[in-house]
Amino acid sequence: MKIVIVGGGAGGLELASKLGKKLGKKAKAEVVLIDRKPTHIWKPLLHEVAAGSLDAAVDAVSYRAHAYQHGFSFKLGTLQGVDRQRQCIQLAAVTDNSDLTSEEVLPAREESYDYLVLAIGSISNDFATPGVAEHCRFLDAPEQAIRFHDKLVSRFIRLNRKLAEGEDQRLHIAIVGGGATGVELSAELLKAREWFATYGLNKLQSHHLTISLIEAGPRLLPALRPEISESVLTELNKRGVDIKLNTQVARAETGALITNDEQRIDADLMVWAAGVKAPEFLQQIDGLSCNRAGQLLVEPTLQVQGDKNIFAIGDCAGFLLATDTLDDGSERQRWVPPRAQSAHQMASTAATNLLALYADKPLISYRYRDYGSLVSLSGYTAFGTLMGGLTGGSLKVKGRIARLTYVSLYRMHQFAIHGWLRVILLTLTDNINRFLRPRLKVH
Ligand SMILES: Cc1cc2nc3c(=O)[nH]c(=O)nc-3n(C[C@H](O)[C@H](O)[C@H](O)COP(=O)(O)OP(=O)(O)OC[C@H]3O[C@@H](n4cnc5c(N)ncnc54)[C@H](O)[C@@H]3O)c2cc1C
């Protein structure tokens, strides 16, 4: 039996690690993980990479080394097609563009499978807003977060020089989308300014960094409880973030966002974090169906509708939770939200089902459990709710407890891919590094 998993993110890497341990290591099945990148960074940390509080070079997991330790094999490649009849996938050629000339590293290839798991995540949705693709930055992938960080460093250095020369200047960053990514990035950037000032750019005062957080809806964090939105709004306001609610961006141009009512928001750096959609090529896979967000429709077992040999998990899977009838008689479909906890839970169910297929046993149905939501405002504070299994209801948390719970989500991901012993060692190393290493990546 050969299981091919495409996408080594929050869901795919957990699944590969589990199946590698249960099947690959015992030579019961061949488990192959394919990703377009050689290393893994847990996506919910990308705003920290962007601000510099996390160093991607230090924290990334090498797929190749991880695969060697966990009983699966890793192949570098970008999925670009699925041939369901022949049960194989097509991967694009890999080229090295890092030097003056680009050279082919791996040719375009095919990889056969008995079972295929698609775990390729999601991308930002710019809702076809003119100018956004050209002028805004996205935080979909580590390299985008790293590029943002590099730009942030050079902008801070330049600003510090101008201030030292007596010019009155500011760095203005505009973030579109008042969801968790926009909110958390705002706070990380405020903290980054503090650390840059500490680490030698001593002209930078708090008013030299201005952040606009733009949200089309009436409140921040629409997926969370209103009182959490209110607390976060108060906290960010207190720290000087300019929050613009009920503000729809109509287009982006060089150095500015233009709203529906032709208001101009000038910005040196613009980040688009206003929603996600599944990668578009999934809609072209012959015979498979997608929902409006482009996610592959899956059965309760997480097999895609219409093909029992293909599973989809995480952000690219469309799992219908319920269809609600609204007051006006119209219907609204509720889908499993594109979140790390969904990807984590789906990886567990897919692992159970692939093991069941191996052992010729019945498959189980996926059940989404909402354990709550947490937002971290960098080192300042954190807010959230813990729900269901953990609390038997809904519990509002803030401050240190919320921050510890937030950090524990990453530890749970690390546990799923590394096991307890390594998580204990990694936690110890991280604590030691807090003394040994700078608190912010300032280069
Ligand atoms: C800045 C930020 C903050 C977030 N914060 C939170 C949070 O606090 N809590 C929360 O629950 N969720 C959060 N999320 C959402 C969360 O990260 C995702 O829901 C989760 O990572 C989805 O997991 P996944 O396995 O489906 O995809 P991902 O983790 O995105 O992994 C997808 C993988 O597929 C690979 N890939 C993509 N396309 C291809 C291809 N064509 N061929 C080969 N490989 C491919 C990618 O390189 C990647 O490794 C955040 C997201 C962002 C961007």
Side-chain angles (χ1 to χ4, degrees), residues 6-12 34-37 40 43-47 63 77-80 119-122 139-140 180-181 184 279 281 313-316 338-341 343 374 406 409:
V6 187
I34 294 171
D35 202 284
R36 59 186 174 180
K37 299 289 165 200
H40 162 79
K43 204 172 171 184
L45 298 176
L46 288 187
H47 61 284
Y63 286 122
T78 299
L79 176 70
Q80 54 178 17
I120 57 173
S122 57
L139 293 184
D140 290 334
T181 303
E184 293 183 336
F281 93 94
I313 63 169
D315 284 7
C316 72
R339 295 166 67 186
Q341 62 174 317
L374 293 150
Y406 180 87
L409 296 179

mmCIF file of all heavy atoms in Angstrom, residues 6-12 34-37 40 43-47 63 77-80 119-122 139-140 180-181 184 279 281 313-316 338-341 343 374 406 409, ligand 1:
data_model
loop_
_atom_site.group_PDB
_atom_site.id
_atom_site.type_symbol
_atom_site.label_atom_id
_atom_site.label_comp_id
_atom_site.label_asym_id
_atom_site.label_seq_id
_atom_site.Cartn_x
_atom_site.Cartn_y
_atom_site.Cartn_z
ATOM 1 N N VAL A 6 0.131 15.129 0.127
ATOM 2 C CA VAL A 6 0.675 16.338 -0.486
ATOM 3 C C VAL A 6 0.361 17.521 0.422
ATOM 4 O O VAL A 6 -0.807 17.827 0.681
ATOM 5 C CB VAL A 6 0.096 16.597 -1.898
ATOM 6 C CG1 VAL A 6 0.827 17.773 -2.538
ATOM 7 C CG2 VAL A 6 0.233 15.372 -2.765
ATOM 8 N N GLY A 7 1.416 18.181 0.894
ATOM 9 C CA GLY A 7 1.263 19.320 1.800
ATOM 10 C C GLY A 7 1.674 18.936 3.210
ATOM 11 O O GLY A 7 0.978 18.175 3.882
ATOM 12 N N GLY A 8 2.825 19.454 3.638
ATOM 13 C CA GLY A 8 3.328 19.108 4.977
ATOM 14 C C GLY A 8 3.103 20.235 5.956
ATOM 15 O O GLY A 8 4.021 20.700 6.626
ATOM 16 N N GLY A 9 1.857 20.697 6.072
ATOM 17 C CA GLY A 9 1.541 21.796 6.986
ATOM 18 C C GLY A 9 0.979 21.283 8.296
ATOM 19 O O GLY A 9 1.315 20.188 8.766
ATOM 20 N N ALA A 10 0.088 22.096 8.882
ATOM 21 C CA ALA A 10 -0.484 21.767 10.190
ATOM 22 C C ALA A 10 -1.129 20.386 10.170
ATOM 23 O O ALA A 10 -0.992 19.621 11.125
ATOM 24 C CB ALA A 10 -1.517 22.828 10.570
ATOM 25 N N GLY A 11 -1.821 20.037 9.077
ATOM 26 C CA GLY A 11 -2.464 18.722 9.004
ATOM 27 C C GLY A 11 -1.563 17.665 8.406
ATOM 28 O O GLY A 11 -1.393 16.582 8.968
ATOM 29 N N GLY A 12 -0.969 17.966 7.246
ATOM 30 C CA GLY A 12 -0.227 16.954 6.483
ATOM 31 C C GLY A 12 0.984 16.405 7.210
ATOM 32 O O GLY A 12 1.239 15.194 7.176
ATOM 33 N N ILE A 34 4.904 14.963 0.225
ATOM 34 C CA ILE A 34 5.394 15.866 -0.824
ATOM 35 C C ILE A 34 5.059 17.292 -0.414
ATOM 36 O O ILE A 34 3.929 17.579 -0.007
ATOM 37 C CB ILE A 34 4.728 15.527 -2.176
ATOM 38 C CG1 ILE A 34 5.181 14.130 -2.630
ATOM 39 C CG2 ILE A 34 5.071 16.574 -3.235
ATOM 40 C CD1 ILE A 34 4.452 13.591 -3.819
ATOM 41 N N ASP A 35 6.026 18.176 -0.493
ATOM 42 C CA ASP A 35 5.749 19.595 -0.254
ATOM 43 C C ASP A 35 6.582 20.416 -1.233
ATOM 44 O O ASP A 35 7.654 20.003 -1.653
ATOM 45 C CB ASP A 35 6.068 20.007 1.189
ATOM 46 C CG ASP A 35 5.319 21.273 1.599
ATOM 47 O OD1 ASP A 35 5.728 22.376 1.157
ATOM 48 O OD2 ASP A 35 4.314 21.166 2.327
ATOM 49 N N ARG A 36 6.070 21.613 -1.540
ATOM 50 C CA ARG A 36 6.797 22.468 -2.496
ATOM 51 C C ARG A 36 8.000 23.131 -1.833
ATOM 52 O O ARG A 36 8.833 23.722 -2.504
ATOM 53 C CB ARG A 36 5.853 23.514 -3.071
ATOM 54 C CG ARG A 36 5.261 24.377 -2.003
ATOM 55 C CD ARG A 36 4.217 25.316 -2.498
ATOM 56 N NE ARG A 36 3.634 25.975 -1.324
ATOM 57 C CZ ARG A 36 2.684 26.861 -1.363
ATOM 58 N NH1 ARG A 36 2.172 27.215 -2.498
ATOM 59 N NH2 ARG A 36 2.236 27.410 -0.257
ATOM 60 N N LYS A 37 8.058 23.054 -0.487
ATOM 61 C CA LYS A 37 9.166 23.674 0.254
ATOM 62 C C LYS A 37 9.944 22.598 1.004
ATOM 63 O O LYS A 37 9.369 21.580 1.381
ATOM 64 C CB LYS A 37 8.618 24.679 1.290
ATOM 65 C CG LYS A 37 7.840 25.816 0.680
ATOM 66 C CD LYS A 37 8.763 26.759 -0.046
ATOM 67 C CE LYS A 37 7.967 27.683 -0.945
ATOM 68 N NZ LYS A 37 8.751 28.290 -1.995
ATOM 69 N N HIS A 40 9.309 23.073 7.176
ATOM 70 C CA HIS A 40 7.967 23.347 7.702
ATOM 71 C C HIS A 40 8.029 24.373 8.833
ATOM 72 O O HIS A 40 8.835 24.251 9.760
ATOM 73 C CB HIS A 40 7.387 22.032 8.251
ATOM 74 C CG HIS A 40 6.226 22.213 9.187
ATOM 75 N ND1 HIS A 40 4.950 22.477 8.747
ATOM 76 C CD2 HIS A 40 6.149 22.169 10.544
ATOM 77 C CE1 HIS A 40 4.131 22.579 9.797
ATOM 78 N NE2 HIS A 40 4.832 22.398 10.896
ATOM 79 N N LYS A 43 1.959 27.331 10.328
ATOM 80 C CA LYS A 43 1.452 28.569 9.720
ATOM 81 C C LYS A 43 0.948 29.616 10.716
ATOM 82 O O LYS A 43 1.154 30.814 10.495
ATOM 83 C CB LYS A 43 0.359 28.211 8.706
ATOM 84 C CG LYS A 43 0.164 29.238 7.634
ATOM 85 C CD LYS A 43 -0.799 28.708 6.577
ATOM 86 C CE LYS A 43 -1.183 29.769 5.597
ATOM 87 N NZ LYS A 43 -2.191 29.282 4.645
ATOM 88 N N PRO A 44 0.288 29.221 11.820
ATOM 89 C CA PRO A 44 -0.156 30.264 12.765
ATOM 90 C C PRO A 44 0.984 31.101 13.342
ATOM 91 O O PRO A 44 0.727 32.086 14.037
ATOM 92 C CB PRO A 44 -0.870 29.464 13.855
ATOM 93 C CG PRO A 44 -1.355 28.240 13.173
ATOM 94 C CD PRO A 44 -0.288 27.906 12.169
ATOM 95 N N LEU A 45 2.235 30.717 13.068
ATOM 96 C CA LEU A 45 3.360 31.511 13.581
ATOM 97 C C LEU A 45 3.881 32.512 12.557
ATOM 98 O O LEU A 45 4.844 33.242 12.847
ATOM 99 C CB LEU A 45 4.509 30.585 14.005
ATOM 100 C CG LEU A 45 4.217 29.600 15.136
ATOM 101 C CD1 LEU A 45 5.413 28.690 15.362
ATOM 102 C CD2 LEU A 45 3.885 30.349 16.430
ATOM 103 N N LEU A 46 3.276 32.551 11.379
ATOM 104 C CA LEU A 46 3.875 33.381 10.317
ATOM 105 C C LEU A 46 3.883 34.873 10.648
ATOM 106 O O LEU A 46 4.781 35.598 10.222
ATOM 107 C CB LEU A 46 3.161 33.135 8.975
ATOM 108 C CG LEU A 46 3.459 31.787 8.320
ATOM 109 C CD1 LEU A 46 2.852 31.725 6.932
ATOM 110 C CD2 LEU A 46 4.956 31.518 8.255
ATOM 111 N N HIS A 47 2.896 35.342 11.396
ATOM 112 C CA HIS A 47 2.923 36.770 11.748
ATOM 113 C C HIS A 47 4.098 37.061 12.681
ATOM 114 O O HIS A 47 4.643 38.158 12.690
ATOM 115 C CB HIS A 47 1.591 37.220 12.361
ATOM 116 C CG HIS A 47 1.249 36.504 13.626
ATOM 117 N ND1 HIS A 47 0.770 35.214 13.648
ATOM 118 C CD2 HIS A 47 1.340 36.890 14.912
ATOM 119 C CE1 HIS A 47 0.581 34.845 14.889
ATOM 120 N NE2 HIS A 47 0.919 35.843 15.685
ATOM 121 N N TYR A 63 11.948 18.796 6.412
ATOM 122 C CA TYR A 63 11.127 17.624 6.073
ATOM 123 C C TYR A 63 11.985 16.379 5.886
ATOM 124 O O TYR A 63 11.625 15.295 6.310
ATOM 125 C CB TYR A 63 10.361 17.878 4.762
ATOM 126 C CG TYR A 63 9.205 18.830 4.886
ATOM 127 C CD1 TYR A 63 9.147 19.985 4.113
ATOM 128 C CD2 TYR A 63 8.134 18.569 5.749
ATOM 129 C CE1 TYR A 63 8.078 20.855 4.198
ATOM 130 C CE2 TYR A 63 7.055 19.427 5.836
ATOM 131 C CZ TYR A 63 7.036 20.581 5.055
ATOM 132 O OH TYR A 63 5.980 21.442 5.138
ATOM 133 N N GLY A 77 8.415 18.985 -4.285
ATOM 134 C CA GLY A 77 7.696 19.185 -5.546
ATOM 135 C C GLY A 77 6.389 19.912 -5.338
ATOM 136 O O GLY A 77 5.807 19.880 -4.260
ATOM 137 N N THR A 78 5.955 20.567 -6.398
ATOM 138 C CA THR A 78 4.674 21.285 -6.353
ATOM 139 C C THR A 78 3.638 20.506 -7.143
ATOM 140 O O THR A 78 3.849 20.213 -8.330
ATOM 141 C CB THR A 78 4.838 22.696 -6.961
ATOM 142 O OG1 THR A 78 5.802 23.389 -6.179
ATOM 143 C CG2 THR A 78 3.529 23.466 -6.938
ATOM 144 N N LEU A 79 2.562 20.173 -6.452
ATOM 145 C CA LEU A 79 1.477 19.432 -7.118
ATOM 146 C C LEU A 79 0.832 20.321 -8.173
ATOM 147 O O LEU A 79 0.492 21.468 -7.903
ATOM 148 C CB LEU A 79 0.425 19.054 -6.067
ATOM 149 C CG LEU A 79 -0.826 18.357 -6.588
ATOM 150 C CD1 LEU A 79 -0.509 16.949 -7.063
ATOM 151 C CD2 LEU A 79 -1.889 18.313 -5.500
ATOM 152 N N GLN A 80 0.671 19.765 -9.382
ATOM 153 C CA GLN A 80 -0.054 20.560 -10.367
ATOM 154 C C GLN A 80 -1.138 19.789 -11.101
ATOM 155 O O GLN A 80 -1.855 20.358 -11.918
ATOM 156 C CB GLN A 80 0.891 21.253 -11.347
ATOM 157 C CG GLN A 80 1.859 20.349 -12.062
ATOM 158 C CD GLN A 80 2.715 21.148 -13.032
ATOM 159 O OE1 GLN A 80 2.802 22.373 -12.934
ATOM 160 N NE2 GLN A 80 3.330 20.476 -13.981
ATOM 161 N N ALA A 119 -3.511 17.950 1.332
ATOM 162 C CA ALA A 119 -3.434 18.775 2.557
ATOM 163 C C ALA A 119 -2.681 20.052 2.226
ATOM 164 O O ALA A 119 -1.768 20.451 2.934
ATOM 165 C CB ALA A 119 -2.732 17.983 3.660
ATOM 166 N N ILE A 120 -3.084 20.691 1.121
ATOM 167 C CA ILE A 120 -2.275 21.809 0.595
ATOM 168 C C ILE A 120 -2.713 23.172 1.120
ATOM 169 O O ILE A 120 -2.250 24.202 0.638
ATOM 170 C CB ILE A 120 -2.222 21.809 -0.949
ATOM 171 C CG1 ILE A 120 -3.628 21.877 -1.541
ATOM 172 C CG2 ILE A 120 -1.469 20.589 -1.462
ATOM 173 C CD1 ILE A 120 -3.626 22.045 -3.056
ATOM 174 N N GLY A 121 -3.600 23.187 2.123
ATOM 175 C CA GLY A 121 -3.901 24.436 2.818
ATOM 176 C C GLY A 121 -4.715 25.414 1.987
ATOM 177 O O GLY A 121 -5.494 25.028 1.106
ATOM 178 N N SER A 122 -4.529 26.693 2.274
ATOM 179 C CA SER A 122 -5.320 27.742 1.614
ATOM 180 C C SER A 122 -4.405 28.904 1.240
ATOM 181 O O SER A 122 -3.245 28.950 1.665
ATOM 182 C CB SER A 122 -6.416 28.232 2.573
ATOM 183 O OG SER A 122 -5.811 28.691 3.764
ATOM 184 N N LEU A 139 0.590 36.834 3.895
ATOM 185 C CA LEU A 139 1.312 35.950 4.822
ATOM 186 C C LEU A 139 0.834 34.512 4.642
ATOM 187 O O LEU A 139 0.386 33.857 5.575
ATOM 188 C CB LEU A 139 1.092 36.391 6.273
ATOM 189 C CG LEU A 139 1.696 37.726 6.693
ATOM 190 C CD1 LEU A 139 1.475 37.970 8.176
ATOM 191 C CD2 LEU A 139 3.193 37.766 6.379
ATOM 192 N N ASP A 140 0.926 34.036 3.399
ATOM 193 C CA ASP A 140 0.480 32.669 3.127
ATOM 194 C C ASP A 140 1.588 31.650 3.319
ATOM 195 O O ASP A 140 1.329 30.485 3.530
ATOM 196 C CB ASP A 140 0.009 32.550 1.663
ATOM 197 C CG ASP A 140 -1.283 33.294 1.432
ATOM 198 O OD1 ASP A 140 -2.046 33.473 2.396
ATOM 199 O OD2 ASP A 140 -1.527 33.716 0.289
ATOM 200 N N ALA A 180 -7.923 37.135 13.144
ATOM 201 C CA ALA A 180 -6.809 36.823 14.059
ATOM 202 C C ALA A 180 -5.461 37.252 13.474
ATOM 203 O O ALA A 180 -4.619 37.820 14.186
ATOM 204 C CB ALA A 180 -6.809 35.334 14.362
ATOM 205 N N THR A 181 -5.246 37.026 12.173
ATOM 206 C CA THR A 181 -3.943 37.352 11.592
ATOM 207 C C THR A 181 -3.668 38.853 11.674
ATOM 208 O O THR A 181 -2.589 39.279 12.109
ATOM 209 C CB THR A 181 -3.884 36.883 10.117
ATOM 210 O OG1 THR A 181 -4.158 35.490 10.077
ATOM 211 C CG2 THR A 181 -2.526 37.149 9.506
ATOM 212 N N GLU A 184 -3.243 39.967 15.425
ATOM 213 C CA GLU A 184 -1.990 39.489 16.039
ATOM 214 C C GLU A 184 -0.777 40.153 15.392
ATOM 215 O O GLU A 184 0.198 40.481 16.073
ATOM 216 C CB GLU A 184 -1.900 37.965 15.931
ATOM 217 C CG GLU A 184 -2.966 37.299 16.793
ATOM 218 C CD GLU A 184 -2.893 35.777 16.806
ATOM 219 O OE1 GLU A 184 -2.361 35.183 15.854
ATOM 220 O OE2 GLU A 184 -3.388 35.183 17.762
ATOM 221 N N PRO A 279 -6.580 26.670 -2.826
ATOM 222 C CA PRO A 279 -5.859 26.876 -4.082
ATOM 223 C C PRO A 279 -6.755 26.555 -5.285
ATOM 224 O O PRO A 279 -7.461 25.542 -5.292
ATOM 225 C CB PRO A 279 -4.688 25.884 -3.996
ATOM 226 C CG PRO A 279 -4.505 25.653 -2.532
ATOM 227 C CD PRO A 279 -5.873 25.751 -1.924
ATOM 228 N N PHE A 281 -6.404 25.473 -8.298
ATOM 229 C CA PHE A 281 -6.292 24.331 -9.220
ATOM 230 C C PHE A 281 -7.090 23.114 -8.741
ATOM 231 O O PHE A 281 -7.386 22.224 -9.510
ATOM 232 C CB PHE A 281 -4.821 24.006 -9.496
ATOM 233 C CG PHE A 281 -4.229 22.971 -8.598
ATOM 234 C CD1 PHE A 281 -4.221 21.640 -8.982
ATOM 235 C CD2 PHE A 281 -3.696 23.322 -7.385
ATOM 236 C CE1 PHE A 281 -3.683 20.675 -8.161
ATOM 237 C CE2 PHE A 281 -3.151 22.363 -6.552
ATOM 238 C CZ PHE A 281 -3.147 21.036 -6.945
ATOM 239 N N ILE A 313 -7.803 17.044 3.727
ATOM 240 C CA ILE A 313 -7.847 17.480 5.132
ATOM 241 C C ILE A 313 -7.385 18.936 5.240
ATOM 242 O O ILE A 313 -6.727 19.472 4.346
ATOM 243 C CB ILE A 313 -6.964 16.593 6.056
ATOM 244 C CG1 ILE A 313 -5.482 16.676 5.663
ATOM 245 C CG2 ILE A 313 -7.434 15.159 6.054
ATOM 246 C CD1 ILE A 313 -4.537 16.032 6.698
ATOM 247 N N GLY A 314 -7.748 19.569 6.358
ATOM 248 C CA GLY A 314 -7.291 20.933 6.627
ATOM 249 C C GLY A 314 -8.039 21.973 5.806
ATOM 250 O O GLY A 314 -9.185 21.773 5.392
ATOM 251 N N ASP A 315 -7.354 23.079 5.545
ATOM 252 C CA ASP A 315 -7.995 24.227 4.898
ATOM 253 C C ASP A 315 -8.545 23.917 3.506
ATOM 254 O O ASP A 315 -9.431 24.610 3.027
ATOM 255 C CB ASP A 315 -6.982 25.376 4.747
ATOM 256 C CG ASP A 315 -6.720 26.095 6.060
ATOM 257 O OD1 ASP A 315 -7.211 25.625 7.102
ATOM 258 O OD2 ASP A 315 -6.023 27.131 6.039
ATOM 259 N N CYS A 316 -7.990 22.904 2.837
ATOM 260 C CA CYS A 316 -8.457 22.638 1.461
ATOM 261 C C CYS A 316 -9.648 21.681 1.440
ATOM 262 O O CYS A 316 -10.147 21.356 0.371
ATOM 263 C CB CYS A 316 -7.312 22.137 0.581
ATOM 264 S SG CYS A 316 -6.769 20.457 0.930
ATOM 265 N N PRO A 338 -11.455 27.115 8.550
ATOM 266 C CA PRO A 338 -10.056 26.855 8.182
ATOM 267 C C PRO A 338 -9.124 27.259 9.307
ATOM 268 O O PRO A 338 -8.616 28.378 9.361
ATOM 269 C CB PRO A 338 -9.855 27.740 6.938
ATOM 270 C CG PRO A 338 -10.854 28.838 7.085
ATOM 271 C CD PRO A 338 -12.000 28.305 7.880
ATOM 272 N N ARG A 339 -8.918 26.353 10.232
ATOM 273 C CA ARG A 339 -8.105 26.670 11.411
ATOM 274 C C ARG A 339 -7.168 25.515 11.712
ATOM 275 O O ARG A 339 -7.389 24.378 11.288
ATOM 276 C CB ARG A 339 -9.023 26.914 12.618
ATOM 277 C CG ARG A 339 -9.906 28.136 12.424
ATOM 278 C CD ARG A 339 -11.011 28.166 13.426
ATOM 279 N NE ARG A 339 -10.497 28.368 14.758
ATOM 280 C CZ ARG A 339 -11.241 28.322 15.853
ATOM 281 N NH1 ARG A 339 -12.519 28.062 15.761
ATOM 282 N NH2 ARG A 339 -10.725 28.536 17.035
ATOM 283 N N ALA A 340 -6.156 25.836 12.509
ATOM 284 C CA ALA A 340 -5.162 24.810 12.823
ATOM 285 C C ALA A 340 -5.801 23.649 13.583
ATOM 286 O O ALA A 340 -5.439 22.482 13.371
ATOM 287 C CB ALA A 340 -4.027 25.428 13.636
ATOM 288 N N GLN A 341 -6.760 23.947 14.482
ATOM 289 C CA GLN A 341 -7.350 22.841 15.249
ATOM 290 C C GLN A 341 -8.173 21.919 14.341
ATOM 291 O O GLN A 341 -8.226 20.708 14.570
ATOM 292 C CB GLN A 341 -8.153 23.327 16.451
ATOM 293 C CG GLN A 341 -9.348 24.181 16.150
ATOM 294 C CD GLN A 341 -10.168 24.484 17.426
ATOM 295 O OE1 GLN A 341 -10.395 23.625 18.252
ATOM 296 N NE2 GLN A 341 -10.579 25.723 17.590
ATOM 297 N N ALA A 343 -7.408 21.303 11.143
ATOM 298 C CA ALA A 343 -6.407 20.514 10.406
ATOM 299 C C ALA A 343 -5.858 19.401 11.298
ATOM 300 O O ALA A 343 -5.691 18.255 10.863
ATOM 301 C CB ALA A 343 -5.284 21.424 9.929
ATOM 302 N N LEU A 374 -8.229 31.556 20.535
ATOM 303 C CA LEU A 374 -7.348 32.430 21.317
ATOM 304 C C LEU A 374 -6.653 33.404 20.383
ATOM 305 O O LEU A 374 -6.290 33.043 19.267
ATOM 306 C CB LEU A 374 -6.296 31.590 22.038
ATOM 307 C CG LEU A 374 -6.880 30.676 23.123
ATOM 308 C CD1 LEU A 374 -6.044 29.429 23.269
ATOM 309 C CD2 LEU A 374 -6.965 31.413 24.448
ATOM 310 N N TYR A 406 -2.447 29.599 24.515
ATOM 311 C CA TYR A 406 -2.114 29.890 23.115
ATOM 312 C C TYR A 406 -0.807 29.182 22.740
ATOM 313 O O TYR A 406 -0.719 28.507 21.716
ATOM 314 C CB TYR A 406 -1.978 31.407 22.957
ATOM 315 C CG TYR A 406 -1.636 31.882 21.570
ATOM 316 C CD1 TYR A 406 -2.634 32.130 20.625
ATOM 317 C CD2 TYR A 406 -0.310 32.110 21.197
ATOM 318 C CE1 TYR A 406 -2.323 32.580 19.362
ATOM 319 C CE2 TYR A 406 0.012 32.562 19.935
ATOM 320 C CZ TYR A 406 -0.993 32.794 19.023
ATOM 321 O OH TYR A 406 -0.680 33.242 17.764
ATOM 322 N N LEU A 409 -0.979 25.441 22.159
ATOM 323 C CA LEU A 409 -1.499 24.935 20.875
ATOM 324 C C LEU A 409 -0.341 24.545 19.964
ATOM 325 O O LEU A 409 -0.375 23.533 19.268
ATOM 326 C CB LEU A 409 -2.362 26.005 20.183
ATOM 327 C CG LEU A 409 -3.635 26.406 20.910
ATOM 328 C CD1 LEU A 409 -4.367 27.488 20.141
ATOM 329 C CD2 LEU A 409 -4.545 25.197 21.093
HETATM 330 C C1 LIG B 1 -0.566 34.436 9.986
HETATM 331 C C2 LIG B 1 -1.545 33.332 10.296
HETATM 332 C C3 LIG B 1 -1.980 33.140 11.593
HETATM 333 C C4 LIG B 1 -2.866 32.126 11.902
HETATM 334 N N1 LIG B 1 -3.244 31.945 13.193
HETATM 335 C C5 LIG B 1 -4.063 30.923 13.519
HETATM 336 C C6 LIG B 1 -4.431 30.694 14.877
HETATM 337 O O1 LIG B 1 -4.027 31.439 15.770
HETATM 338 N N2 LIG B 1 -5.237 29.636 15.146
HETATM 339 C C7 LIG B 1 -5.691 28.780 14.167
HETATM 340 O O2 LIG B 1 -6.412 27.828 14.476
HETATM 341 N N3 LIG B 1 -5.373 28.978 12.879
HETATM 342 C C8 LIG B 1 -4.571 30.031 12.528
HETATM 343 N N4 LIG B 1 -4.227 30.228 11.213
HETATM 344 C C9 LIG B 1 -4.782 29.305 10.204
HETATM 345 C C10 LIG B 1 -3.964 27.994 10.171
HETATM 346 O O3 LIG B 1 -2.614 28.300 9.978
HETATM 347 C C11 LIG B 1 -4.454 27.082 9.073
HETATM 348 O O4 LIG B 1 -5.823 26.848 9.252
HETATM 349 C C12 LIG B 1 -3.709 25.758 9.094
HETATM 350 O O5 LIG B 1 -2.324 25.934 8.946
HETATM 351 C C13 LIG B 1 -4.222 24.859 7.965
HETATM 352 O O6 LIG B 1 -3.477 23.684 7.955
HETATM 353 P P1 LIG B 1 -3.319 22.864 6.601
HETATM 354 O O7 LIG B 1 -2.543 21.633 6.933
HETATM 355 O O8 LIG B 1 -4.618 22.711 5.934
HETATM 356 O O9 LIG B 1 -2.459 23.800 5.645
HETATM 357 P P2 LIG B 1 -1.030 24.545 5.896
HETATM 358 O O10 LIG B 1 -0.626 24.486 7.302
HETATM 359 O O11 LIG B 1 -1.178 25.837 5.233
HETATM 360 O O12 LIG B 1 -0.068 23.602 5.039
HETATM 361 C C14 LIG B 1 -0.162 23.501 3.655
HETATM 362 C C15 LIG B 1 1.130 22.896 3.132
HETATM 363 O O13 LIG B 1 0.955 22.556 1.768
HETATM 364 C C16 LIG B 1 2.071 22.990 1.003
HETATM 365 N N5 LIG B 1 1.573 23.226 -0.354
HETATM 366 C C17 LIG B 1 0.679 24.155 -0.740
HETATM 367 N N6 LIG B 1 0.426 24.023 -2.055
HETATM 368 C C18 LIG B 1 1.173 22.986 -2.504
HETATM 369 C C19 LIG B 1 1.341 22.359 -3.770
HETATM 370 N N7 LIG B 1 0.655 22.750 -4.853
HETATM 371 N N8 LIG B 1 2.204 21.330 -3.861
HETATM 372 C C20 LIG B 1 2.901 20.898 -2.781
HETATM 373 N N9 LIG B 1 2.773 21.444 -1.550
HETATM 374 C C21 LIG B 1 1.912 22.474 -1.416
HETATM 375 C C22 LIG B 1 2.562 24.234 1.727
HETATM 376 O O14 LIG B 1 3.934 24.493 1.457
HETATM 377 C C23 LIG B 1 2.314 23.876 3.198
HETATM 378 O O15 LIG B 1 3.420 23.219 3.758
HETATM 379 C C24 LIG B 1 -3.351 31.268 10.880
HETATM 380 C C25 LIG B 1 -2.931 31.457 9.560
HETATM 381 C C26 LIG B 1 -2.039 32.486 9.267
HETATM 382 C C27 LIG B 1 -1.588 32.685 7.841
#
